[in-house]
């Protein structure tokens, strides 16, 4: 799959750490512009281990051409309250698709290689430092140390980004621990995701069942604590067992959602993108669309910097300005929404189910719901029923004043 495996070349225009969607996409865009790009991945196989449920909107395919990795389509959601009450939201047409995540990541990386990027697989980045106006990256590839030098280093290395740490870029304010199990034999309508809400189920977030072809991904994130233990308890609840009784696990997946909004996602010679830059949606935990969007901004800035032969923070700041002024606005709102609802009690969640379980509110959600831009339906819901204002926190209330007239 990867014909350009480098054994001797050590100097590149750009070194990208992390071959997930953000890293693979950026490597391909910059390589296609005619620059030498190294794509460094610590695992021997791109896409492994799987890091998320693979639920994305069709918008991601505006960036990447890998629709062959789609294994399911979703048009609605079944939501369960803390007491097990069920609320059905049906968009009646495809709202999201499920991708085979490992294949998805590999397809993006394969495209990057076809465009000229070089891969270092099984290569762990050990350290990085500025050296004579460049960056020297020390890697260990299957026990063999080597140094890669680059004009620009891009960290797409995930929630606990080493690149961010090495160059004093703000780390996540908080990482929500998550655990997921892929199961065979899960029942239920494959056109609906199932969401489970409540402080006994998943305090600070929610649980889910995502249909994925012949299997389903059952998981949760929590504000704090042992996510695996919470998942074990969730699987024993009646509203979950109606779908999972008799199902068998075939794969366990651990991960985390980075929360925060970094003041800086750049430094001299350095950018961070994706989870490394906290570019995940705090409401849903999804990060593929947002990371690809930000990776697109990053690739443009990198190409501009290479053309100008200027890799200073002054130039690379353009990336930070671009993403924070666009998708960053939604991410700020998502964070405020998350912080408001993460503190609610179970009786308050039940009250919200009372509010949402009306024909008018369900219709509004079905018409305007968008998992990439959840604040849009949020503002509309508050205008429809101002009782929702009592559940919001200070940060979200300040945003509402600017966005909604009630």
């Amino acid at each position: 799959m990867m014909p350009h495996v480098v054994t001797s070349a050590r100097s590149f225009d750009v070194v990208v750490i992390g071959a997930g969607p953000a890293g693979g996409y950026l490597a391909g865009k910059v390589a296609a512009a005619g620059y030498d790009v190294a794509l460094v991945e610590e695992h021997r196989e791109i896409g492994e281990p799987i890091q998320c449920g693979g639920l994305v909107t069709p918008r991601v395919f505006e960036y990447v051409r890998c629709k062959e990795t789609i294994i399911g389509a979703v048009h609605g959601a079944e939501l369960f309250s803390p007491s097990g009450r069920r609320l059905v939201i049906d968009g009646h047409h495809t709202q999201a698709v499920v991708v085979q995540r490992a294949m998805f990541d590999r397809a993006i990386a394969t495209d990057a290689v076809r465009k000229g990027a070089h891969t270092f697989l099984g290569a762990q980045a050990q350290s990085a430092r500025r050296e004579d106006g460049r960056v020297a990256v020390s890697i260990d590839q299957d026990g063999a140390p080597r140094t890669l030098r680059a004009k620009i280093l891009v960290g797409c290395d995930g929630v606990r980004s080493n690149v961010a740490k090495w160059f004093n870029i703000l780390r996540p304010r908080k990482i929500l621990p998550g655990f997921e199990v892929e199961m065979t034999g899960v029942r239920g309508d494959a056109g609906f995701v199932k969401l489970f809400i409540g402080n006994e189920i998943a305090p600070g977030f929610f649980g889910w069942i995502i249909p994925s072809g012949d299997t389903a991904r059952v998981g949760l994130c929590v504000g704090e604590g042992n996510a695996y233990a919470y998942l074990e308890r969730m699987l024993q609840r009646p509203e979950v067992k109606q779908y999972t009784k008799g199902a068998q696990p075939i794969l366990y997946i651990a991960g985390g959602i980075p929360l925060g909004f970094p003041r800086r996602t750049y430094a001299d010679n350095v950018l961070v993108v994706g989870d490394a830059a906290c570019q995940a949606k705090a409401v849903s935990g999804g990060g593929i669309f947002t990371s690809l969007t930000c990776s697109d901004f990053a690739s443009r800035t990198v190409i501009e910097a290479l053309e100008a032969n200027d890799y200073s923070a002054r130039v690379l700041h353009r990336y930070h300005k671009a993403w924070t002024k666009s998708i960053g606005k939604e991410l700020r709102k998502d964070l405020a929404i998350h912080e408001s609802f993460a503190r609610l009690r179970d009786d308050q969640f039940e009250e919200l189910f009372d509010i949402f379980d009306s024909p008018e509110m369900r219709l509004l959600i079905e018409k305007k719901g968008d998992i990439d831009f959840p604040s849009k339906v949020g503002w509309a819901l508050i205008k429809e029923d101002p009782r929702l204002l009592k559940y919001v926190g200070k940060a979200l209330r300040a945003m509402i004043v600017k966005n909604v007239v009630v």
Side-chain angles (χ1 to χ4, degrees), residues 82-301:
S83 67
R85 178 179 176 182
R86 178 171 170 263
L87 177 63
V88 178
I89 305 295
D90 190 349
H92 303 290
H93 62 271
T94 298
Q95 302 292 318
V97 297
V98 182
V99 296
Q100 209 292 343
R101 181 58 197 275
M103 289 176 58
F104 182 82
D105 288 12
R106 284 196 289 271
I108 297 171
T110 298
D111 183 63
V113 169
R114 289 187 181 126
K115 291 173 178 174
H118 304 279
T119 56
F120 290 79
L121 302 184
Q124 187 168 14
Q126 302 287 321
S127 65
R129 65 190 183 280
R130 290 192 191 85
E131 192 177 87
D132 300 325
R134 304 290 189 266
V135 178
V137 184
S138 298
I139 66 171
D140 185 310
Q141 187 172 27
D142 292 327
R146 61 171 59 194
T147 299
L148 307 180
R149 292 180 173 82
K151 298 169 183 174
I152 299 174
L153 171 65
V154 183
C156 301
D157 51 339
V159 175
R160 294 174 174 83
S161 169
N162 281 322
V163 174
K165 179 177 69 176
W166 294 330
F167 293 93
N168 298 312
I169 293 172
L170 186 67
R171 311 296 295 282
R173 183 194 313 167
K174 187 176 184 180
I175 298 173
L176 302 185
F179 206 89
E180 185 175 62
V181 56
E182 187 163 0
M183 307 182 82
T184 183
V186 176
R187 295 184 292 275
D189 189 331
F192 288 84
V193 296
K194 289 78 176 171
L195 304 177
F196 306 94
I197 299 161
N199 289 300
E200 290 187 7
I201 301 169
F205 209 68
F206 57 84
W208 61 80
I209 297 176
I210 301 174
S212 53
D214 296 333
T215 64
R217 296 159 192 175
V218 185
L220 51 67
C221 277
V222 294
E224 59 184 9
N226 187 324
Y228 175 76
Y230 275 105
L231 178 58
E232 288 284 285
R233 290 195 289 271
M234 187 183 91
L235 289 169
Q236 299 306 312
R237 294 181 65 93
E239 63 268 38
V240 179
K241 288 183 74 173
Q242 66 178 312
Y243 301 112
T244 62
K245 186 176 180 180
Q248 295 295 314
I250 57 175
L251 177 67
Y252 289 97
I253 305 164
I257 301 170
L259 297 185
F261 199 89
R263 290 188 297 272
R264 180 168 60 87
T265 50
Y266 64 94
D268 289 323
N269 304 93
V270 177
L271 297 177
V272 291
V273 184
D275 281 352
C278 299
Q279 290 162 344
K281 294 170 286 189
V283 170
S284 67
I288 294 178
F289 168 70
T290 50
S291 68
L292 287 172
T293 300
C294 295
S295 184
D296 195 54
F297 286 124
S299 64
R300 295 181 203 177
T301 298

